[in-house]
Amino acid sequence: MSNSIISIKNLEKTFLGAGEPLTILKDLDMEVEEGSKSIIIGASGSGKSTLLNIIGGLESSTKGDIFVGPYEISKLKEKQLTEYRSKFLGLIFQFHYLLKDFTALENIFLPAYMNGMKKKEAIERAESLISDVGLENRKNHLPSQLSGGERQRIAVARALINNPELILADEPTGNLDPENAAAVIDLLFSIVDKYHKTLVLVTHDISLKEKGDICYSIKEGKIITL
């Protein structure tokens, strides 16, 4: 029997604005197997990033049951959500969100240090991860001294620093040229394999369909397998 790390039942997300309510996810069911790599492909506005944000506890659902690992996301208070995101998740976004006044290595180890890991251990783990992404020779550089592809590699390493069970990646190569985008995707998939993590990747890039174990799309608020 498969072991689900994500189980979503009857998910709905409706946005209330000045006009008519807009429902972008409706009666959505989804299971993600532990250790798998899932790709969610869709056009802008289809709801794929909203789904990822709900899984990540960054956005609330209108209704539905969302279980991720031992957590029931819709029942978590803000303090519990913060703990969930810092301990269970690794988050990678289209923009790297690196701290501009800190070096590449500091950007990687700070989340672990702030999460209670001893500084020496956090630095050692960050050294290992920066080597994994091939940037040990750039570890003392500030983000402004790194290329776009290098910054995103550092963001990948940072996402692994707290040894999360689940990596959520939202258009992680959206700001990169095709050559750098392909390199970052290859790196992300190899590092996920190396550390036996579960990956859910959201993208508009149909060419990534074959990279995952399973590929989904969102149509009319529901998720379908491609």
Side-chain angles (χ1 to χ4, degrees):
M1 183 176 173
S2 68
N3 194 8
S4 293
I5 193 170
I6 299 173
S7 181
I8 298 173
K9 302 289 184 192
N10 303 314
L11 174 63
E12 181 178 307
K13 178 62 179 180
T14 298
F15 290 99
L16 302 174
E20 291 289 312
L22 176 65
T23 299
I24 62 168
L25 302 173
K26 187 173 184 181
D27 298 328
L28 185 146
D29 295 340
M30 183 182 185
E31 298 281 332
V32 174
E33 198 173 322
E34 192 173 349
S36 66
K37 295 185 283 291
S38 301
I39 312 291
I40 304 174
I41 292 175
S44 178
S46 63
K48 60 189 189 304
S49 290
T50 299
L51 173 60
L52 206 72
N53 285 340
I54 290 171
I55 294 169
L58 299 167
E59 210 167 304
S60 60
S61 58
T62 305
K63 66 178 184 181
D65 301 314
I66 305 109
F67 294 90
V68 183
Y71 300 91
E72 186 174 358
I73 304 305
S74 55
K75 300 282 177 69
L76 298 182
K77 304 285 190 253
E78 192 53 48
K79 186 178 179 183
Q80 295 168 311
L81 280 170
T82 300
E83 179 185 302
Y84 161 66
R85 288 191 292 263
S86 64
K87 293 186 175 178
F88 197 82
L89 296 184
L91 298 167
I92 307 167
F93 300 98
Q94 183 169 334
F95 186 71
H96 54 78
Y97 293 110
L98 299 180
L99 301 170
K100 65 183 179 66
D101 297 324
F102 292 86
T103 66
L105 189 71
E106 288 168 340
N107 266 284
I108 297 170
F109 83 70
L110 275 172
Y113 181 55
M114 293 171 69
N115 208 29
M117 190 182 290
K118 290 181 179 176
K119 189 173 183 180
K120 182 173 182 289
E121 184 183 347
I123 291 173
E124 286 174 357
R125 181 160 173 76
E127 294 264 14
S128 176
L129 285 166
I130 205 167
S131 177
D132 283 334
V133 300
L135 290 175
E136 57 267 57
N137 63 331
R138 310 285 279 166
K139 67 180 183 181
N140 295 319
H141 287 63
L142 296 172
S144 60
Q145 299 169 312
L146 302 174
S147 70
E150 288 171 337
R151 288 193 287 265
Q152 207 60 342
R153 283 169 175 262
I154 296 299
V156 169
R158 180 186 56 189
L160 272 291
I161 190 66
N162 283 323
N163 196 25
E165 297 296 321
L166 175 63
I167 305 294
L168 301 179
D170 188 1
E171 296 279 13
T173 60
N175 286 332
L176 302 178
D177 62 79
E179 185 178 347
N180 271 305
V184 168
I185 286 294
D186 286 346
L187 169 74
L188 175 58
F189 276 77
S190 68
I191 206 169
V192 163
D193 282 340
K194 177 176 179 177
Y195 291 105
H196 309 292
K197 303 303 178 187
T198 306
L199 173 68
V200 180
L201 170 71
V202 157
T203 181
H204 67 275
D205 187 353
I206 192 72
S207 71
L208 297 184
K209 180 181 175 183
E210 309 305 325
K211 295 282 288 185
D213 300 310
I214 190 165
C215 186
Y216 301 103
S217 183
I218 296 176
K219 294 281 176 67
E220 299 176 353
K222 293 181 170 61
I223 201 157
I224 59 171
T225 306
L226 294 178

